[in-house]
Every structure is written in C-alpha cells, then in structure tokens.
Amino acid sequence: MDKLEGRIRNHDREIEKMCNHHFQGFVDSITELLKVRGEAQKLKCQVTETNQKLQNDGKEVGVLQCRLQQRNIATTIDKLTHCLPVLEMYSKLQEQMRAKRYYPALRTLEQLEGSCLPQAGSYRFCAIMAENIPRLRTHIRDVSMSDLKDFLESIRKHSDKIGETAMKQVSLVLLIQVMCLSLTRTVLQIPGAQDLVDFSPVYRCLHIYTVLGARDTFENYYRKQRRKQARLVLQPHSSMHETLEGYRHYFNQIVGFFVVEDHILHTTQGLVNRAYVEELWELALSKTIAALRTHSSYCTDPDLILDLKNLIVLFADTLQGYGFPVNQLFDMLLEMRDQYGEILLKKWNQSFRQILDQDNYSPIPVASPEEYQRIAGQFPFQDPELDKMPFPKKLPFSEFVSKVYSQLKEFIYACLKYSEDLHLSSTEIDDMIRKSTNLLLTRTLSHCLQYAIKKKNVGLAELVQIIINTTHLEQSCHYLEEFISNITNVPPDTINATKLYGTSTFKDARHAAEEEIYTNLNQKIDQFLQLADYDWMAAQGGGQASDYLSDLIAFLCSTFAVFTHLPGKVAQTACMSACKHLSTSLLQLLLEADVRQVSMGALQQFNVDVKDECVTFKSIPPAPSQWRLLDLFTQWDWSTYLADYGRPTCKYLRVNPHTALALIEKMKDTSRKNNMFAQFRKNERDKQKLIDTVVKQLRNLIATNQA
C-alpha cells in the first residue's frame, strides 16, 4: 500500500507538471478564443451597423446578401470550433514526441484518431494528420524497442553488480542471525535490483506493445533475448578455477540474472511467468553444477575448496531466498566433500612426511615445568612416575608424537569447517569427521609411518623410538574420540557411531617397526658373517674365537642395551629372533655348497666360536640342534646317535640325518684327499672305513625314514 500510495503521488505530480506545463498554452488558446469572440462581436456590431445602413440605404436590395454573410460567419465559427481541438491535440502530440513520452503520445494518437479528426471534417490538414498517424505509431514502436534493447544490454552489464549486492544482503542477514539480531532490509539500507537498474523502459515497452496489440510479440522477443543472455551467463571462463574471484564473478552474474527475472515476474503481469523462470533455473542449475564439477576437479588447494564451498552455500542461500530450489547444489557440495577430503589427505601426507623426516628420533629433553606444561598441552601425556622426577628430565617419546597429534586435531578442524552450513545434523557431521579421520589414520598416516620405517639407512635406534612413539600415540586415541565428540556434541557411545581406527593403525606401524628391527638385526648379522674366514682344511682348531664373531657379539650387546626402553615382549622377541637367525646362519655357513671339504680341525674351531662366545653371551643361547651336531662330530659319538635315533630320550634328537650326512660327506672327501699318500697307515685306513660305515648307515637311516 505504501508503494501504491507513492506511485499515486508520483502520478499526481506528473499530472500536475503536465497541467502546469500546458496551462499557459491553454490560457493562450482561451485568450485567442476570447479575442476571436471579441472580434466576432465587433464584426457582428459592424455587420449590424452595416446592415442598418444597407437597410436604410436600400432595404430591398441588401437583405439577401446580408443573410448570406450571416450564415457564412456562423458556419466559419462552427468549423473553427471543431478544428481548434484537433490543432491543440496535434500540438500536444508533437510536444510528447519531442519529450520522448511515447506512451502518453500513443494515448494522444488514439484520441486524435478516434474522436478529434472525425469531428473536424475532411480538411487537407486533417488528411495529412491521418496519414502521419501510422508512421508515428511505427516510430513509437521502434523507439520503445530500441529502449528495450538498451535495457537488456544494461541488465547484462549490471548482472554482476546486482548479484553481488543480493549475495551481500544474504551474507549480512546470516551474520545478523548469528549475532541474534533482527534487522529488516529497510533498516539495513541495502540497495535492491530496482535501485541499481531502471526498469521503466521494459514497463513502457510492455505498455506500448500492449496498446499496439503486439504484446505476444514483445513477450516472445523478451524471453528469447533473456534465454540467450542466460546461456552467456552460464558459460564459465576457462580459467575460472584458478582463483576464488573467478567463481565469485560467475555466481554474481547468475544471481543477478535471476534477481532481475524475479523482479520482472513480480512487477509485470505475464511478461514472464513462474513456469518460464523455473525452466530457466533448471537449465542454470544443471549447467552450473556441471561447470563446478569440472572446474573444481582442477583444484588442489584445500583452502580454495573451502572458500568455494562457502561461496556456493551463499549462492544457494541467496537464490533459495528468491524461491528457487537449491537441493542439488547441496548434494553437489556433499560430493565435493570427498574431493576436499582427498586434497586434505594429500596436504597432510606432506605434513606428516615433513614431521617424520625432520624428527631426531630422540626422547624430548625437558628443562623446566613450563616447558613440560607446554608439551603436555600439545599432547595428552600422563606419567605419574615421570612427574615425580626432578628437572631436567626426558619424555619417552620424540617430538613427532606431539606434532602428529596436533596435526590430527588440525585435520579434524578442517573437516569440521567444510561441514558447517551444509544443513547437516550433528550426527551426520560427527560421522563425516570420523570417517575422514579414519582415512587419514589408516591410509595417509599409516603410509607415512611405513615410509619412515622402510626408508633406507634407518637405524635400530630410530626404529626403537618409532615403536615407543606409536605406543604413546595409540594410547592417545581415546582423547581424539573425546575431542571429536566435544566439537560435534555427539557422545562417543552413540549407537552406530563410527569408531576411530587409530589403535589398529599405530599397532600395525609398531609391528612393522618390530619386523624391521628383526630384519635389520638379521642383515647386520649377515654382514658380520660375511667377514667369516674359516680355514676349512685346518689340521686343528685354534684356542680363541674368531674375530668376526667377537665383533658380532659386541654389536649385539650394544644393540640389546638400546632395547631396554622397549616393552619386554618386543625386546625378548628381538633377541630370540637374532639368536635364531645367527644359529641358522652359522649352520648354513658350515653346510654351504661352496664348502666342499671340512676337516676336524675346522670343526673344532667352529665349535669354539659357537660354544665359547655364544655361551658367555647368555641372552643368545645357541640352538640345541647346532650344539648337538657339533658334539656328535667332535666327540664322534655315532654309535649313540644311530642306536637311539627316533627315541624321545635320544641325546641327538634334533640332529637331522640329512644334515649329518651332508657334513660327514665333506669330511669323507677331506680324509680321502689328505690320505691319498698315507693309505697304508692302519689308523687312517680304519678311520676312513669308519666314515664310510657311518655314511652307509646314515643313508640307510634316511631311506628307512622316507619309506
């Protein structure tokens, strides 16, 4: 009603202006009529006087002529009375055309053609006016169409500004809602579409075409041109994905286009209808979503994706405020969430790699309570025993523990930022964050830990520290659960709530580090064993252990000292693994195919290495099978072995007959070679016969077991 009253006042002022503008002409016309009337009166008086004179001079001669003049005068006055409105109306028309007031001019043409000219008669000037009327109508139609084209060009140029203004309005309203304020748009004094664009050309053109009976032509033309503009607006720039401003310009133009159409829809009667606008919106929605999917796929910056998401939400909220359905946009944002998550995982992969590469893998020294509290604020660590110790002291884990934990929290915050304003429930947000965090744990962090464990030149000390670090990170997983619950307001014990896989991730990493320790220990043992230089043809063994084995035992002693910080089971398993590998490798060293011959002296030296050194290193007991094999040969106790083989109480139960046969074959070859010139010595001959007998019996034993 306020707008209607304002419109009435505007029209009243225009009428008053028009009346004021033409008042003087009206007065002049009346004055002229009065003058004519006066002159006519004078003329009448003169005619009367003349008539009197004529009557007096010749009543009979002048009566007829006088009456004719009177009739002509009356006819002239009557014709002038009918022609004067035509002249006034045409003069008004000329002024309206000069002032470009085409709609009033069109109304004047209707009055001139419909009433004034027929009443005036068939004068020449009337015929000229009648001939000009169609040309004037065509001129008015063409000029109004030109104004419409200028209007369409204007709104095309101003679409960006209109859209920007509309989105600022919504942004301010949302900000006010967040601040729990309630201000109307009038109070905010934010300009609308009608304040940025003059819509009068389209209104005038619509009225003119309606009067001319060509409203359908006008509507079709307007809709056709706007469809063309819509296709141009919906065509994104090829480099739109490079900056946020490219997306912002794209959205502003689309919003501006539909704000104009919404204004036209509500301020005109039928120029556009709801079905037409909805058709355009369906087209815009499909093309916009397709463009966003294409261009956003090029983005590798999570901050840009997050800003784009916020811009899309504002874009959707703005158009939703004008009554357009935007559910598909929010569905697309949920699709983009997966892309955002993948980009976050790549970014955090680099962060984790950098943290792991820069870590010194040493316990953190703490010199003061303030420093201790700072670290405790970054990582939830509790150790009552360590708390009692005086400063300076060392935390058991290295710096990468607190840094990784902080990065996990930062990742959770980044996931939370994306989920805001997507019209999701707390449970959905909580589930989304937990699933994304699980991907970070099981895929990204797990791979980074595996990378740190498997990379070249990683030492045993670093692997030990990784085990300690992952143990503490595993213990902190329930704090991450609580952290997510606090920011989403969803209790961790909610039914169907996704659980974090951090415990399994850190367990797997710890197990991988343990396996790598076992592997590295075995590789080190193999390197020492490569230094072994036995004289397999020695006549007798030395009284001391080999140098390589002494160095190996010293290395193992220093290594196992590092294991004191590991859990007992891990340290024990590492020791046992090293023991088993050393035992197996020593036996394999003796049985290698390259070693074709072995003397008793070499076996005695090998026995010294195994028993004297390994027995003194109590943490690495030699394998019984290896001991018993050496005892069997050095004591030459074949009768016991062959007699008791297979019994549970057999002394040499773990000595494999295949192994024994392979080794005695090497000694057999040695005996033959060494005794080829002493074959006539009785003792040597007896020994050779004994070896042959043992070989034969071992082969029979093997054949019997295989059968």
Side-chain angles (χ1 to χ4, degrees):
M1 292 304 295
D2 292 340
K3 290 184 179 180
L4 181 60
E5 290 176 3
R7 180 66 63 88
I8 292 172
R9 288 194 296 271
N10 289 338
H11 284 306
D12 290 339
R13 285 194 294 270
E14 290 180 1
I15 293 172
E16 185 177 354
K17 289 180 182 179
M18 182 174 66
C19 293
N20 291 336
H21 180 74
H22 297 288
F23 178 74
Q24 187 60 44
F26 176 76
V27 172
D28 293 342
S29 299
I30 296 300
T31 303
E32 291 177 0
L33 285 174
L34 291 175
K35 289 181 179 180
V36 171
R37 180 180 177 182
E39 295 296 328
Q41 187 65 34
K42 290 180 181 180
L43 180 59
K44 183 178 179 180
C45 294
Q46 291 177 359
V47 169
T48 303
E49 291 177 0
T50 303
N51 182 45
Q52 187 63 38
K53 289 181 180 180
L54 288 174
Q55 288 179 355
N56 293 334
D57 294 338
K59 291 182 180 181
E60 294 180 359
V61 177
V63 171
L64 183 59
Q65 186 176 2
C66 182
R67 288 179 180 176
L68 180 60
Q69 288 178 346
Q70 288 178 346
R71 188 170 59 251
N72 289 341
I73 291 172
T75 301
T76 300
I77 294 173
D78 182 64
K79 295 300 182 181
L80 287 174
T81 302
H82 286 87
C83 291
L84 188 58
V86 175
L87 298 174
E88 291 176 348
M89 190 69 68
Y90 197 79
S91 176
K92 177 182 178 181
L93 175 63
Q94 295 296 326
E95 290 182 10
Q96 290 172 338
M97 295 294 289
R98 285 193 297 269
K100 297 183 179 180
R101 297 170 56 226
Y102 299 113
Y103 183 70
L106 201 59
R107 292 296 184 184
T108 303
L109 275 177
E110 289 183 350
Q111 296 178 10
L112 186 64
E113 185 180 32
S115 59
C116 295
L117 285 177
Q119 293 178 4
S122 55
Y123 295 102
R124 184 180 177 186
F125 73 89
C126 291
I128 294 174
M129 291 181 183
E131 292 176 359
N132 285 336
I133 287 176
R135 288 196 294 269
L136 289 174
R137 283 200 176 99
T138 301
H139 176 71
I140 291 173
R141 184 192 62 194
D142 295 342
V143 170
S144 63
M145 180 57 69
S146 177
D147 291 344
L148 175 65
K149 292 179 180 178
D150 293 341
F151 167 78
L152 292 174
E153 180 65 20
S154 174
I155 59 174
R156 187 188 67 82
K157 293 180 179 179
H158 288 82
S159 289
D160 182 71
K161 185 65 176 177
I162 296 171
E164 179 184 1
T165 303
M167 293 178 73
K168 282 183 178 180
Q169 288 177 344
V170 175
S171 179
L172 286 174
V173 170
L174 294 176
L175 178 62
I176 290 167
Q177 290 176 350
V178 172
M179 297 171 62
C180 299
L181 298 176
S182 179
L183 297 178
T184 64
R185 176 173 155 182
T186 306
V187 176
L188 289 173
Q189 293 296 320
I190 301 173
Q194 69 276 8
D195 302 306
L196 298 174
V197 177
D198 180 16
F199 286 88
S200 59
V202 72
Y203 300 147
R204 287 197 303 267
C205 195
L206 176 61
H207 292 322
I208 289 172
Y209 270 74
T210 301
V211 172
L212 294 175
R215 181 187 177 98
D216 292 341
T217 302
F218 175 76
E219 289 179 359
N220 293 334
Y221 177 82
Y222 176 85
R223 295 183 183 185
K224 180 179 179 181
Q225 295 301 314
R226 289 296 280 167
R227 283 193 178 93
K228 290 182 179 179
Q229 290 185 351
R231 291 188 180 93
L232 292 176
V233 166
L234 296 171
Q235 184 66 35
H237 195 273
S238 59
S239 61
M240 181 178 72
H241 59 275
E242 296 178 357
T243 63
L244 185 65
E245 290 306 314
Y247 290 105
R248 193 187 306 278
H249 176 71
Y250 181 64
F251 289 141
N252 286 343
Q253 285 192 321
I254 296 174
V255 172
F257 178 89
F258 283 99
V259 167
V260 169
E261 289 307 288
D262 181 77
H263 186 78
I264 292 293
L265 175 65
H266 289 89
T267 56
T268 61
Q269 295 180 351
L271 178 56
V272 296
N273 53 32
R274 177 58 64 181
Y276 158 80
V277 176
E278 289 177 353
E279 177 190 349
L280 282 181
W281 173 241
E282 288 296 327
L283 171 67
L285 195 59
S286 62
K287 288 188 173 294
T288 301
I289 291 176
L292 290 175
R293 282 175 177 159
T294 300
H295 285 266
S296 64
S297 64
Y298 299 131
C299 184
T300 57
D301 182 5
D303 294 331
L304 179 57
I305 286 286
L306 186 61
D307 292 337
L308 175 59
K309 165 256 171 182
N310 292 329
L311 190 59
I312 293 174
V313 169
L314 180 59
F315 170 73
D317 288 343
T318 301
L319 288 170
Q320 190 175 34
Y322 285 91
F324 296 102
V326 294
N327 291 335
Q328 293 184 43
L329 288 173
F330 284 99
D331 292 341
M332 187 205 64
L333 286 174
L334 295 180
E335 295 176 10
M336 284 179 56
R337 178 183 61 184
D338 297 334
Q339 178 190 355
Y340 176 72
E342 290 296 325
I343 295 174
L344 285 183
L345 292 178
K346 291 180 182 179
K347 179 180 178 181
W348 258 257
N349 180 69
Q350 296 176 356
S351 299
F352 287 145
R353 289 262 179 131
Q354 185 177 6
I355 290 171
L356 295 174
D357 289 340
Q358 295 177 354
D359 195 66
N360 58 9
Y361 295 95
S362 301
I364 303 175
V366 181
S368 63
E370 292 77 15
E371 189 175 358
Y372 183 83
Q373 291 299 324
R374 178 183 63 81
I375 297 174
Q378 296 174 351
F379 179 73
F381 170 70
Q382 296 178 354
D383 189 342
E385 296 297 327
L386 185 63
D387 292 341
K388 296 176 183 178
M389 295 175 60
F391 291 95
K393 52 189 173 183
K394 289 185 177 181
L395 299 176
F397 48 82
S398 66
E399 291 184 353
F400 100 60
V401 171
S402 59
K403 291 181 178 179
V404 166
Y405 187 82
S406 298
Q407 285 298 314
L408 290 173
K409 293 173 64 176
E410 288 297 323
F411 180 86
I412 293 170
Y413 275 127
C415 293
L416 178 65
K417 287 180 181 178
Y418 189 91
S419 64
E420 293 174 343
D421 302 323
L422 293 185
H423 305 163
L424 300 175
S425 66
S426 299
T427 304
E428 291 174 319
I429 294 174
D430 182 85
D431 184 67
M432 183 206 76
I433 292 177
R434 289 177 182 272
K435 288 181 178 178
S436 298
T437 306
N438 277 336
L439 284 176
L440 179 71
L441 290 170
T442 58
R443 197 169 78 185
T444 304
L445 181 55
S446 177
H447 289 176
C448 290
L449 290 172
Q450 294 293 334
Y451 158 78
I453 293 169
K454 301 291 184 182
K455 68 181 180 181
K456 294 182 179 179
N457 302 323
V458 61
L460 291 172
E462 286 85 350
L463 292 171
V464 170
Q465 191 62 56
I466 289 175
I467 292 175
I468 297 171
N469 290 349
T470 52
T471 301
H472 284 88
L473 284 171
E474 179 186 345
Q475 295 170 355
S476 70
C477 286
H478 71 278
Y479 292 104
L480 279 178
E481 294 265 8
E482 294 177 358
F483 176 72
I484 294 175
S485 297
N486 290 335
I487 64 175
T488 61
N489 294 321
V490 177
D493 55 352
T494 302
I495 299 177
N496 298 326
T498 303
K499 300 299 181 183
L500 292 184
Y501 300 148
T503 301
S504 60
T505 297
F506 296 124
K507 278 184 179 179
D508 293 342
R510 185 167 66 252
H511 293 160
E514 294 170 4
E515 291 295 329
E516 195 67 18
I517 287 177
Y518 307 151
T519 303
N520 282 8
L521 268 177
N522 294 342
Q523 290 175 351
K524 288 290 185 181
I525 291 173
D526 292 340
Q527 291 174 6
F528 279 101
L529 291 176
Q530 289 175 1
L531 301 177
D533 187 18
Y534 286 101
D535 182 6
W536 299 110
M537 302 299 297
Q540 61 181 12
Q544 298 180 3
S546 301
D547 292 338
Y548 87 92
L549 195 59
S550 299
D551 294 338
L552 172 58
I553 298 303
F555 163 75
L556 291 176
C557 289
S558 62
T559 299
F560 293 155
V562 179
F563 291 173
T564 55
H565 299 293
L566 289 175
K569 184 178 179 181
V570 177
Q572 181 181 5
T573 304
C575 295
M576 295 302 296
S577 173
C579 170
K580 181 179 179 180
H581 182 73
L582 177 57
S583 174
T584 304
S585 299
L586 285 173
L587 182 60
Q588 187 64 32
L589 188 64
L590 187 63
L591 299 175
E592 281 184 352
D594 294 340
V595 180
R596 299 181 180 276
Q597 300 171 349
V598 177
S599 67
M600 183 58 72
L603 280 179
Q604 291 172 351
Q605 178 61 48
F606 199 80
N607 190 44
V608 169
D609 287 345
V610 172
K611 288 190 175 180
D612 290 353
E613 287 297 327
C614 292
V615 169
T616 57
F617 189 59
K618 296 180 181 179
S619 298
I620 310 180
S625 61
Q626 185 175 329
W627 269 18
R628 295 307 179 191
L629 179 66
L630 293 174
D631 287 345
L632 177 62
F633 276 85
T634 56
Q635 296 176 13
W636 207 253
D637 196 8
W638 291 105
S639 59
T640 303
Y641 175 76
L642 293 172
D644 296 341
Y645 181 80
R647 297 178 182 177
T649 58
C650 178
K651 179 180 178 181
Y652 304 102
L653 180 64
R654 298 197 179 189
V655 176
N656 189 299
H658 292 275
T659 305
L661 178 61
L663 185 55
I664 201 169
E665 289 280 2
K666 294 177 185 288
M667 294 185 67
K668 178 180 176 182
D669 293 340
T670 303
S671 299
R672 288 176 177 173
K673 181 178 180 181
N674 291 340
N675 296 318
M676 60 186 302
F677 296 107
Q679 57 184 338
F680 298 106
R681 297 176 185 175
K682 187 175 183 301
N683 292 336
E684 297 298 334
R685 289 198 306 271
D686 293 342
K687 184 178 180 181
Q688 183 63 42
K689 289 180 180 180
L690 182 58
I691 292 175
D692 292 339
T693 301
V694 172
V695 169
K696 183 177 181 180
Q697 290 176 339
L698 285 174
R699 287 174 177 170
N700 291 334
L701 181 62
I702 292 172
T704 302
N705 290 335
Q706 289 178 347

